[in-house]
Amino acid sequence: MRFPAGTPRALGLAAALAAAAIAGPAAPQPRAGGSARAAQVAEARGAAPAAAGAAPLRGSLGVPVAERLLSSGDPEARLRGIERLGTIGTEEAVSALLAAIEQGSPAARDLRARLEAARALAPHAHRDNVRQVLTRELSEGGASARGAAAPLGEVLRGTAALALARAGDKRALGALAGAIVQGGAAGEAAARALRAYPPESLQLLLGGRKRIEPALVGFLGELGDLRAIEALRPMLEGGDRAAQVAAARALARLGDEAALAKARAWIRKPEPRLLEAAAEILVYLGAPEAPDAVAALLGSEAARLEGLRLAELAPSARLATALARAIPLLPEDARPRAVAALGRAGGAEAARQLRGLMEGGALATAAAFALATMPGAEARAALEAAIEAAIGAAAKGPRAAKDGALQRLALRAGVVRALALRDPPAPLEERLLAALAAPRGSAERAVGAFGAVALGLRGAGEVAGACAPASCDRAAVHAAARGALARGDAALAELAPLFEALAAPGDPGAAPDAAAISAGVALLAAPRGGGLTTSRLAALAEAGGPLSPLAARALAARDDEVIRGRLKRLLEGSDPVVRAHVALGLGGDPMPDSVSLLARAYRFEDDPAVRRAIVRGLSRRAEMQRRRVLQLARDLDPDDGVRALARSALSGAEARPLEPPRAALATGVVWIAIVPNDPSAAASAASRAARLVRPDGLAVPVVADPDGVLLVPGVPPGVSSVLLAPAAPPGDAAP
C-alpha cells in the first residue's frame, strides 16, 4: 500500500489494526505501542505472551488463524494454513499441524497438503509423533487418495526420507533401515536419502541388529563407508549362504580383499548364483581372472545378461570374442548394449568384429557408432578401410542402394570419430567434400553438408544458402544446422537471418516448415529470441512441436504485463520440457516479480527436470525470495541433481548463475536411426522433425536426413531423450 507524501504514519497503523479486527475476534487493545511488538516476539519464540494485550495479535496472526484455514473447504486455504504453522514452528503449531493431517482429514487426502506438511515438519523430525508421520509418508507417500501411484507422491516419499535422514537420530535411521529391508519404492527412497545424508554412526543405522539382512548389507556396500567392513567381515563365515554372498559383494564394493578367497572358491561351483557373485567380486577387486569369469557368464544361458552387465562395468579386450559370440544369443533389446560393450572392450579383435557387423543387418548403426568411439589405431584403420571399400563398391554400381547406405554409414562414423576422439580417418575430409557435391536433396549431400560444417570445412550459412519456399535444399539446411551445433555460437548465429525469415510467415498462426525448425537452433545462441517478434514467439511456444521449448524460453525472457498470462499457462501446461524452458527464461526476466512465479512453480512440480530448470532460473535472480526456495531444494528435494544445483546456487554471497551453456561445451554425439515398424511406411522416417533434450535440459530442434538418420553433436555426458514429431513438417516431401 502506498500513501501520498506527507501522510501520517498513523494511517498505516490504523489500516493494520482494522485488518486485525476483521481477521480475529474483538479484544482489548494494548495500552502501549510496544506491547503488541513484545507479544509478537514472545509468540515467535514459543513463549507465553508477556502482556494481556497480546490476544488480538495472536488471534489474527497465530495458530488459531492457521487452524481456521485448515478447516476450510478450499484446498488453497488449507495450504496457506499448513505453511503458516510451519513458519510459526512452535510446539503448539507442530501439534496443530499433526492433527490437521491425521488420516481421514481433508488435508490427508490431498497430496499437495501432505507434501507441504512434510516440508514443514522436517525440522522437527526428532520428535516421536513427527517421525511417525514421516515414516508413514515414506511407506505410503507414492499413493494418492485412490491408492494409485502419483508422481507428486514420489516427491512426498523422497522428501519424507530426506527429512528422516537429516534428523540422523537412532529412531529415524532405524525407520530408514527398515524401509531398505522392506524394499520397493520406500527402500529405494530410503537408500537415496542415506546416501545424501550419511549417518554419523553406522551403529545408529544398524540399531544393534544381531543379524544384518541381505538388503541392508547390499546398501552398506553401495554407501561406500569403510566403517562397515568391521561389521561385514564376520558374515563371510556364517552359515547363511545368502548372507555370505551379500557380505562378500558388499566388501568387494568397498575394496576389501577379504572376499577374494570366497570368490575364487565359488567360481568353481556349478551354482549360477554363486558364479555371478564370484564374477562380480573379481571385477570389483580387479582380480586378473575377472575377464575369464565374465566370459564364462556370457557363455551361460542363465547368466548371460549378468555377464553383459559386468562386461559393461569392466571393459577388457579379452572379452571381445565372448561378447561377439553372445550378441545373437541375447534378447533383441540387449544386443545394441552388447555391441557398445564390444566397442568399449577395444583391441584388434573387437575392431574386426565391429567392422563385420557394419556391413549389414539391424546392428550396423550400433556397430558403426561403437567403432567410431573406440580409441586406438585398430578402430581408426577399420574405419578407413570401411570408407574406402564402401566408396569403391558404390562406384561399381551393381548394388547402388545398399552400397550407398554403407558409404553414408562409414562417412558418418568417420565424422563421429573426428568429433568425439579428434582422431579422424585419413580420407575423411576429401570424401566429405566429394559428398557435398552430390545432387541437391540427396542423402549423400546431407552427409557431406553435416560433416563439412561440423568439422569446420565449410560455414553453416554457406552450406545452407538461401532458402525460399520455391527454391530450398532443405536436406542441406537440416544437416548444416545440426553440424553447427559442434561449432558454437558463431556458427549458430550464421543461421539467425535464415531462421527469422523462415519463422515469420505472412500468416502468424502458420506452422513452421522443416527448414525453419532446423534453423531454430539459432535460438540456442539467442536466449531472448533475436529479431523474432514477441507475437510470433508466443505462437511458436504455444503451438507445440520441436521449436516450442526454445521459443518459450525466449518469450519468458521478454516477460511483461501483456504476455504474463500466457507465460503462466505455459508454466502450468502439460509439457514438462516447455515448463522447464519457461523457468529458464524467467531467470533472465526483467520483471522483478518473476521470482514469485518460479517459487510457486517449484512447490508442487513433480518432474525433476523441471525443478532443475527452476533452480537454474532462480540462480540468476538477485531477489531475497529466491533463498527460501533454494534452501528447500538443497535440503529436501528428492532429486540429486536438483540438490546439487541448489547447493551451487547458494555457495556464494551473491547469486551464482547456473544457466545451461548456450553453445555446446562437449564433444558427445547422439546417433539415431529412425526405422519405421512397418516397412511400407519407410517414407515417414525421411526428414522427420524431432526435439532432442540434452542432459543439461536444453531442447534442440532437429530434422533427420532424407534416409532417416539424425546425428546431433555437442551433447554433454548423460541421458538424452528424443521426441519425434507426429508427422513430417510442411515443406519436406518423402524422397
Side-chain angles (χ1 to χ4, degrees):
M1 182 181 295
R2 294 184 177 180
F3 302 100
T7 301
R9 290 188 178 181
L11 180 59
L13 178 60
L17 291 175
I22 294 172
Q29 297 298 317
R31 295 182 180 178
S35 300
R37 173 68 177 169
Q40 185 178 7
V41 172
E43 184 180 358
R45 294 176 176 170
L57 186 62
R58 181 178 180 279
S60 62
L61 300 178
V63 173
V65 167
E67 290 175 327
R68 287 199 296 274
L69 290 170
L70 285 165
S71 64
S72 170
D74 179 7
E76 297 300 323
R78 293 198 295 269
L79 288 173
R80 290 197 300 273
I82 291 171
E83 185 176 15
R84 184 183 291 264
L85 289 174
T87 301
I88 295 172
T90 62
E91 184 173 350
E92 180 186 6
V94 172
S95 298
L97 180 51
L98 291 170
I101 59 171
E102 287 181 352
Q103 290 181 320
S105 68
R109 295 191 294 270
D110 182 352
L111 279 176
R112 297 193 308 161
R114 288 162 59 189
L115 176 57
E116 193 71 21
R119 290 166 172 167
L121 292 171
H124 312 282
H126 58 280
R127 292 179 48 170
D128 286 342
N129 49 2
V130 172
R131 183 174 55 254
Q132 291 168 7
V133 169
L134 293 173
T135 302
R136 183 186 73 203
E137 297 295 20
L138 172 61
S139 61
E140 302 175 3
S144 65
R146 297 181 180 180
L152 191 61
E154 291 306 312
V155 178
L156 168 59
R157 188 195 302 278
T159 300
L162 286 165
L164 291 168
R166 287 183 76 226
D169 58 52
K170 182 176 181 180
R171 293 184 179 180
L173 295 176
L176 292 170
I180 292 173
V181 172
Q182 173 189 340
E188 293 173 4
R192 288 193 298 269
L194 286 169
R195 285 194 291 269
Y197 295 105
E200 292 184 3
S201 166
L202 289 183
Q203 293 305 314
L204 293 176
L205 177 64
L206 300 177
R209 282 176 163 82
K210 294 182 179 179
R211 176 182 178 272
I212 307 176
E213 294 83 350
L216 194 53
V217 171
F219 169 73
L220 291 176
E222 295 172 3
L223 187 60
D225 191 330
L226 298 183
R227 295 175 298 176
I229 292 176
E230 184 179 355
L232 294 175
R233 277 182 176 174
M235 297 179 64
L236 291 176
E237 306 304 326
D240 186 341
R241 179 58 61 84
Q244 284 184 15
V245 170
R249 279 178 150 153
L251 286 167
R253 284 176 177 267
L254 294 170
D256 183 57
E257 293 190 353
L260 197 55
K262 285 289 184 185
R264 286 171 171 158
W266 291 340
I267 204 71
R268 296 187 291 269
K269 302 284 186 180
E271 299 178 47
R273 183 185 62 168
L274 292 181
L275 289 175
E276 292 177 15
E280 180 181 306
I281 293 165
L282 294 172
V283 163
Y284 272 108
L285 294 176
E289 60 266 51
D292 294 334
V294 175
L297 295 184
L298 288 167
S300 166
E301 182 178 0
R304 192 166 287 125
L305 284 173
E306 177 64 10
L308 175 57
R309 183 184 74 84
L310 294 176
E312 293 170 324
L313 187 65
S316 169
R318 290 163 57 187
L319 290 173
T321 301
L323 281 166
R325 289 175 179 168
I327 287 172
L329 304 175
L330 284 163
E332 187 173 353
D333 60 349
R335 291 173 191 172
R337 288 175 50 201
V339 173
L342 186 58
R344 287 195 290 272
E349 178 61 19
R352 188 181 72 82
Q353 294 286 352
L354 291 171
R355 167 77 192 282
L357 289 170
M358 274 184 64
E359 294 179 358
L363 297 173
T365 298
F369 187 79
L371 199 57
T373 54
M374 174 179 153
E378 300 96 337
R380 185 181 64 253
L383 270 184
E384 290 171 351
I387 291 172
E388 293 302 325
I391 290 174
K396 296 178 181 178
R399 298 181 303 166
K402 180 179 179 181
D403 292 331
L406 286 174
Q407 178 182 338
R408 295 193 299 272
L409 183 71
L411 285 175
R412 284 172 173 136
V415 175
V416 170
R417 185 173 189 85
L419 292 173
L421 301 181
R422 302 290 191 259
D423 183 26
L428 181 62
E429 293 185 4
E430 174 187 347
R431 298 305 184 187
L432 286 173
L433 294 177
L436 188 58
R440 288 165 59 90
S442 66
E444 285 70 23
R445 177 170 165 79
V447 173
F450 172 79
V453 174
L455 299 183
L457 307 178
R458 294 288 187 273
E462 174 190 355
V463 172
C467 190
S471 175
C472 181
D473 185 356
R474 288 182 171 81
V477 173
H478 306 331
R482 285 184 279 106
L485 294 168
R487 308 304 301 174
D489 275 7
L492 295 173
E494 288 183 41
L495 297 169
L498 177 62
F499 172 63
E500 291 165 11
L502 293 173
D507 179 5
D513 77 352
I517 291 173
S518 283
V521 296
L523 287 174
L524 289 169
R528 297 183 62 84
L532 216 60
T533 65
T534 300
S535 60
R536 185 56 178 157
L537 280 174
L540 291 174
E542 294 170 343
L547 282 175
S548 288
L550 289 181
R553 181 180 72 156
L555 185 68
R558 298 184 184 184
D559 180 25
D560 59 23
E561 294 180 359
V562 176
I563 63 172
R564 173 59 67 87
R566 303 176 87 164
L567 287 177
K568 286 182 177 179
R569 288 192 295 273
L570 289 170
L571 196 55
E572 297 168 358
S574 60
D575 188 339
V577 178
V578 172
R579 296 201 303 270
H581 282 69
V582 174
L584 291 174
L586 289 174
D589 182 357
M591 303 282 282
D593 62 340
S594 63
V595 69
S596 299
L597 284 181
L598 289 170
R600 284 196 297 271
Y602 177 84
R603 286 179 74 191
F604 305 118
E605 175 56 60
D606 56 40
D607 191 296
V610 182
R611 298 200 303 275
R612 290 181 210 127
I614 292 171
V615 169
R616 288 185 187 274
L618 287 170
S619 74
R620 301 182 62 201
R621 308 300 307 190
E623 296 86 353
M624 286 301 297
Q625 296 97 308
R626 66 189 278 275
R627 292 196 63 83
R628 182 178 179 186
V629 181
L630 290 175
Q631 288 168 348
L632 174 62
R634 178 197 62 193
D635 296 339
L636 292 176
D637 195 286
D639 181 71
D640 293 343
V642 175
R643 293 197 307 276
L645 286 170
R647 279 195 299 271
S648 295
L650 291 167
S651 61
E654 299 180 356
R656 181 179 176 184
L658 300 171
E659 186 180 14
R662 292 183 301 176
L665 300 178
T667 57
V669 184
V670 172
W671 187 337
I672 301 164
I674 304 172
V675 180
N677 294 326
D678 184 353
S680 64
S684 65
S687 303
R688 191 70 172 269
R691 74 179 184 203
L692 181 139
V693 181
R694 302 185 333 193
D696 58 11
L698 279 183
V700 182
V702 291
V703 179
D705 287 336
D707 57 356
V709 174
L710 275 167
L711 278 180
V712 186
V715 179
V719 178
S720 298
S721 64
V722 178
L723 178 65
L724 296 178
D732 270 15

